[in-house]
Amino acid sequence: MADTSPYQEQLNRIRELKRFCWTREGAAQEYQYCAYKPEPITRMKNLVEIGFVLRYAIGPRVLDAGAGTGRFTFPLQSRGIDAVAVDISPGMLREGARSARKSPHPFRALVGDIERLPFEDNTFDSLVSITVLRHFPDWPAIFDEYLRVVRPGGRIIFDMASLDQQAYLEAAGIVEPNPEPELDPVTFDTGITLRDLAELAARRRLAVAAATPIDVFNENRLLDHVLGERKEAFMERLRACLDGNGAILLYELLSRRVLPAVSPAISGSWFIVVEKREPGAPFRPPFRAAQAGRSTVSPEARLMAILRHCLGADYDACIRECADAAAQWPEARSLLELCRDELLPRFPLDALCWEAGEGAP
C-alpha cells in the first residue's frame, strides 16, 4: 500500500518540483551559464570536480547520469572513454549537443529518467552522477538503479551534502540542533554522514574507494562562521588570487592531496566513490589517526602536526609541491598568505579530524 502520509506527500512535492525546474523552458540555458561563467570560483570548482571524476572513473564505458549539458561527459570523451549522457530534460541535452559542435567527439545522449535507466544490467564500467542524487529525498532507490547498470567491479561516483559538518556545528555550539529535516522544495539537499556511508556500503556489499570534502569556499557554513563579517572582504581577495591560474592550480593540488585525508566536517559537500565488489577491510579515513598537535602553541604548527598525521607518507611530497607552487606563481603565494593570515588564526583545527560520537582530538 502506498504511503500517503503528509511527510511522504511533501517528499513527493520536492521531487516533482526539482524535476520541473530542470525541464522548464530556459533551464538549460541558465544551467549552462552558471556552470561555465567566467568567474574565478566557478573555474576552480570545475577544475576540481572534473579532475575528481577523471581520476576515479574506470573502464572504457561510463554513464553520466543526470548529465545536464554534459559538463562531465565531454571531459570523459576527451580521454577516449565511451561516455553516454542521460538526462530527463531534452533541453539540457540539446544544449549539450550545441556545445558538441565545438568538440571532436560526438555527444552520445539519451533522454531518460535516472529512476528507470534505459540500459540493461551490468552495462557500464563506471557511473558518474554529480549534483544529482542530493536533490532526491528517495535517493537510495535511485542509487540501487545505478548499481543495477554498473558491472561487478565497476564504480559509482557521486556527491552529497555533509551531515558530518552539520553534526560538528551542532557539537561546537555554532548552530542549534535541528531534529527535523529541511523540507523546503527550493532548498532541500540530501546529506549523509561518514557513518551513513559505511552502513550503505555494508548493506549493499560495496567497497568505499574514496570519500573527500570538496568546495571548501562555496556554501560552507563553517567557513561562514569563521569569517563572520570578514567574509565579503575575504571572498573579494580570494577572487583576486584566483584570477591567476597559479592559485587555481594550487587549490586543485590541495583538493587532490589534502582534502581526501581530512574530515568531511570541514565542508558542506563531499565526493564519494564506491565499488561494486566485496569490501574486504572497512574503509578507514586517514583523519581517524590524527591525534597530534594538542600541545603545540601556534595554529600553524598545530596544523602542520595534524596534516602530518593525516597525510602520513605523502606529507613531505605535498608540502614540497605547495612550496614549489608558491615559488612559481605569485598568485599561489598570495592564496597561501590569505589563508594563513585570515583563516588559520580563527579556524577550528579540530574540524580537520573530527568524527561524530568520538569528539575532537
Side-chain angles (χ1 to χ4, degrees), residues 7-22 134-137 182-190:
Y7 179 76
Q8 185 60 45
E9 289 177 1
Q10 180 70 344
L11 295 185
N12 291 338
R13 280 197 293 273
I14 291 171
R15 172 180 171 276
E16 292 308 315
L17 181 61
K18 298 277 191 182
R19 292 162 72 100
F20 166 76
C21 288
W22 294 322
R134 62 192 297 162
H135 289 294
F136 288 87
E182 178 65 56
L183 292 181
D184 184 330
V186 176
T187 60
F188 180 85
D189 199 15
T190 296

Side-chain angles (χ1 to χ4, degrees), residues 127-354:
L127 184 148
V128 174
S129 193
I130 305 300
T131 321
V132 178
L133 282 179
R134 62 192 297 162
H135 289 294
F136 288 87
D138 52 349
W139 70 270
I142 301 171
F143 183 84
D144 287 339
E145 177 68 352
Y146 288 177
L147 280 175
R148 181 185 68 79
V149 301
V150 171
R151 66 165 176 79
R155 287 180 171 177
I156 298 175
I157 302 164
F158 64 108
D159 66 319
M160 282 284 176
S162 171
L163 290 188
D164 281 304
Q165 180 172 91
Q166 173 68 22
Y168 175 83
L169 295 173
E170 292 178 3
I174 295 170
V175 301
E176 292 294 322
N178 181 17
E180 298 296 328
E182 178 65 56
L183 292 181
D184 184 330
V186 176
T187 60
F188 180 85
D189 199 15
T190 296
I192 62 172
T193 65
L194 189 61
R195 187 166 296 168
D196 294 334
L197 175 61
E199 291 173 357
L200 172 79
R203 286 195 304 270
R204 288 161 173 78
R205 305 179 74 84
L206 304 171
V208 178
T212 176
I214 56 166
D215 221 4
V216 171
F217 293 119
N218 189 41
E219 296 184 4
N220 186 339
R221 288 186 298 164
L222 178 59
L223 199 67
D224 293 345
H225 170 76
V226 168
L227 293 172
E229 62 185 16
R230 301 177 181 86
K231 182 181 179 182
E232 187 174 343
F234 177 89
M235 295 304 290
E236 283 301 312
R237 290 182 60 188
L238 175 65
R239 289 186 182 93
C241 292
L242 295 173
D243 268 335
N245 285 334
I248 291 180
L249 292 173
L250 173 62
Y251 182 78
E252 191 278 333
L253 167 65
L254 295 172
S255 296
R256 175 167 39 87
R257 291 286 237 155
V258 176
L259 291 188
V262 301
S263 168
I266 72 161
S267 175
S269 297
W270 54 318
F271 271 141
I272 300 164
V273 181
V274 296
E275 294 183 351
K276 193 175 176 181
R277 63 172 175 83
E278 291 292 334
F283 178 68
R284 185 171 177 81
F287 72 84
R288 286 184 173 167
Q291 300 294 322
R294 295 179 182 177
S295 60
T296 52
V297 177
S298 73
E300 193 164 357
R302 184 165 183 243
L303 172 65
M304 293 300 103
I306 290 173
L307 291 181
R308 184 176 290 278
H309 272 257
C310 289
L311 291 166
D314 291 333
Y315 174 83
D316 290 335
C318 181
I319 295 300
R320 186 167 55 251
E321 287 180 44
C322 289
D324 290 345
Q328 183 176 356
W329 298 304
E331 62 270 23
R333 183 167 60 254
S334 296
L335 176 60
L336 289 176
E337 290 171 353
L338 173 63
C339 293
R340 181 197 65 196
D341 298 340
E342 297 296 328
L343 273 185
L344 187 56
R346 305 173 184 90
F347 191 85
L349 293 176
D350 60 322
L352 294 172
C353 41
W354 186 83

